[in-house]
Amino acid sequence: TLRNSKSQAPLCILVDNHEISSGPEVISTLKTVHGVKVEICSLGSCDYIVSNRLAVERKCQAELVNNIHQSKMVQRMQQLKNKFDRICIIVEKERIRTEAWKVFHRTKHYDGMLSAFMQAGIKVLFSACQMETADLLKELALVEQRKNAAIHVPTEVAGPRQDVFRFYLSIPCVSYTLALALCHHFGSLKEMANRYNSL
Amino acid sequence: LQKKTQLITGAVNVPLGHVIGHEKWKGSQIAQELQGKVKLILEDGLGLVDFHLSNRCCILYISEADLVAGNGFKRRLVRFRNTCNLQGIVFVEKTQISNQYFPEMQKFVVLELGMTLLPVASQKEAAQLIAQLVQEQTKAGNPFQSKKCTRLLEPSVLHTVQQIPGVGKTKALLLLENFGNIQQLCNASVQELEGVVGRSLARQIHAFFTQAK
């Protein structure tokens, strides 16, 4: 059946192009170890999109310990909440040069952040390294696939359609995956606008 | 002797700023560390739950020893999930010794059971985190909760119209003034558009809205 062939399709994860430099091992592990179809895009507002409704942010543990970038993070989370039903944060340890078990000093601020994430319904996962992060991303994508939320739309937009895609993307609350879907689902913008009279 | 295996399946009434804990935590480091931060009331008969933070939310504590001993803790969590309608937060002691078991456990708790998992290095850290969770509940306004959209829509409509190739801010304003909204703009004919912008741009805009895949 169609449904079976769909679940056999390889997992697809969209990756923001900033991750090429900040998380190279995440990307290579997803591709080579897990056989995931990785699409590098300019997502802008988040690090990874693993399904039609789930965005994933990769945060280094040190960033959550003190409130240096707090306001920036709050702003980004609110943007994500506007566009995605579900958000997950993966808290990743920095790479340690030595083999020694590094003691992590947690702060009140760190615990406060975790509490606030929980209260806001943001899922939090903990990772020891980039490879573990890749593994978690794959697992998240699998869970979403089982719930029929996997990304199945073509991730390529060619030629003049790119302008149409950008037009969809500029609408508040329209995520990257939704813009792709609108682009591939409707023949023209006129058709879409007349379908949704509230625009 | 019959051991009490009573399960609490519903809400426990927790006064604001208090934590209700299982009897077995009497004299523990957590109980000591919580002193002066939050009021801890110890009771027996809490069943599977270690601490109740509020009427809706409770903590199940998995120690380093539980984790090393094998999968016994899994049965406890599954029983909790099947019988309780409370939000369960799982605290796990993640130490140098139990560290290797953590990834598997995380997948089980978060991805399979859909519960929240928070690693702590010691009972001292657990107490700090409990105090913070209680504080968070009494605090108003979570920075990550999305606010009601009170933003004006005009600027975003203007921004969207500017995505049409060849249309800048001035032209976008002109178009919206003349056509009112995006839907009417989509349905405008080349002639109607020509009345507002030049001929070549009018054609370009019309083509942009009507080009099929």
Side-chain angles (χ1 to χ4, degrees), chain B:
Chain B
L1 268 173
Q2 278 228 325
K3 245 175 70 182
K4 239 196 201 162
T5 51
Q6 181 205 343
L7 285 177
I8 295 197
T9 53
V12 171
N13 198 14
V14 186
L16 202 64
H18 287 60
V19 172
I20 294 178
H22 193 291
E23 189 92 271
K24 71 179 178 199
W25 291 96
K26 196 174 173 167
S28 67
Q29 203 189 349
I30 289 191
Q32 285 165 27
E33 292 283 341
L34 281 177
Q35 273 176 16
K37 294 193 184 93
V38 288
K39 290 201 169 58
L40 177 67
I41 304 164
L42 294 172
E43 289 181 4
D44 60 355
L46 290 194
L48 299 168
V49 174
D50 287 292
F51 300 97
H52 284 274
L53 296 181
S54 72
N55 306 357
R56 289 278 322 121
C57 171
C58 61
I59 293 171
L60 291 98
Y61 197 93
I62 310 290
S63 70
E64 174 190 84
D66 292 335
L67 211 52
V68 175
N71 290 335
F73 71 87
K74 286 191 179 178
R75 278 193 292 278
R76 185 179 149 211
L77 296 180
V78 171
R79 264 181 72 197
F80 170 83
R81 266 301 306 275
N82 294 342
T83 52
C84 284
N85 53 10
L86 300 172
Q87 184 203 1
I89 304 170
V90 179
F91 273 37
V92 57
E93 280 181 5
K94 185 169 180 267
T95 63
Q96 207 167 343
I97 293 162
S98 64
N99 195 31
Q100 57 178 315
Y101 306 102
F102 179 78
E104 273 315 304
M105 153 150 201
Q106 175 167 254
K107 278 183 198 174
F108 177 72
V109 174
V110 183
L111 299 177
E112 282 182 49
L113 299 181
M115 293 169 82
T116 302
L117 180 69
L118 296 171
V120 292
S122 62
Q123 284 197 24
K124 187 174 182 235
E125 279 194 4
Q128 281 173 13
L129 185 51
I130 289 172
Q132 197 62 44
L133 289 170
V134 171
Q135 215 178 66
E136 200 70 31
Q137 281 176 335
T138 55
K139 219 166 64 183
N142 177 311
F144 302 117
Q145 290 286 31
S146 58
K147 292 186 204 62
K148 272 268 188 307
C149 197
T150 47
R151 270 187 317 159
L152 286 170
L153 278 175
E154 277 93 346
S156 23
V157 173
L158 192 64
H159 172 66
T160 297
V161 173
Q162 286 180 67
Q163 306 304 308
I164 305 166
V167 176
K169 195 163 183 173
T170 320
K171 292 269 191 327
L173 274 167
L174 264 180
L175 289 166
L176 281 169
E177 275 166 15
N178 280 276
F179 296 99
N181 63 36
I182 290 179
Q183 196 205 355
Q184 282 170 23
L185 188 56
C186 285
N187 288 307
S189 66
V190 178
Q191 286 78 8
E192 286 170 325
L193 288 163
E194 264 184 43
V196 181
V197 293
R199 174 173 288 191
S200 70
L201 186 56
R203 283 182 180 169
Q204 211 175 319
I205 294 170
H206 188 263
F208 177 73
F209 283 126
T210 54
Q211 64 169 336
K213 271 184 288 192

Side-chain angles (χ1 to χ4, degrees), chain A residues 77-192:
Chain A
M77 286 300 145
Q78 283 174 347
Q79 279 175 348
L80 280 183
K81 280 215 140 216
N82 282 333
K83 295 192 177 195
F84 292 91
D85 291 345
R86 296 168 188 220
I87 305 169
C88 173
I89 293 180
I90 298 180
V91 180
E92 194 183 275
K93 267 206 163 84
E94 297 91 300
R95 180 174 301 164
I96 307 162
R97 304 257 177 273
T98 57
E99 283 297 291
W101 171 266
K102 194 173 150 195
V103 180
F104 162 64
H105 294 285
R106 68 196 295 157
T107 56
K108 207 171 146 67
H109 184 261
Y110 180 80
D111 286 343
M113 291 297 259
L114 293 182
S115 314
F117 289 145
M118 254 182 47
Q119 291 264 315
I122 297 168
K123 208 189 268 273
V124 183
L125 291 163
F126 299 87
S127 156
C129 60
Q130 290 191 23
M131 279 152 80
E132 215 171 290
T133 298
D135 185 45
L136 289 170
L137 285 165
K138 182 222 34 173
E139 292 289 336
L140 282 168
L142 272 174
V143 171
E144 287 294 277
Q145 187 182 55
R146 281 200 294 273
K147 295 177 179 173
N148 281 324
I151 300 167
H152 287 305
V153 284
T155 48
E156 300 288 315
V157 183
R161 295 293 290 173
Q162 284 176 354
D163 295 326
V164 175
F165 176 69
R166 264 193 291 276
F167 185 90
Y168 282 129
L169 209 51
S170 74
I171 302 168
C173 308
V174 171
S175 70
Y176 197 93
T177 34
L178 180 54
L180 282 175
L182 289 168
C183 229
H184 291 288
H185 182 79
F186 288 105
S188 68
L189 270 163
K190 186 176 173 174
E191 194 186 310
M192 191 277 302

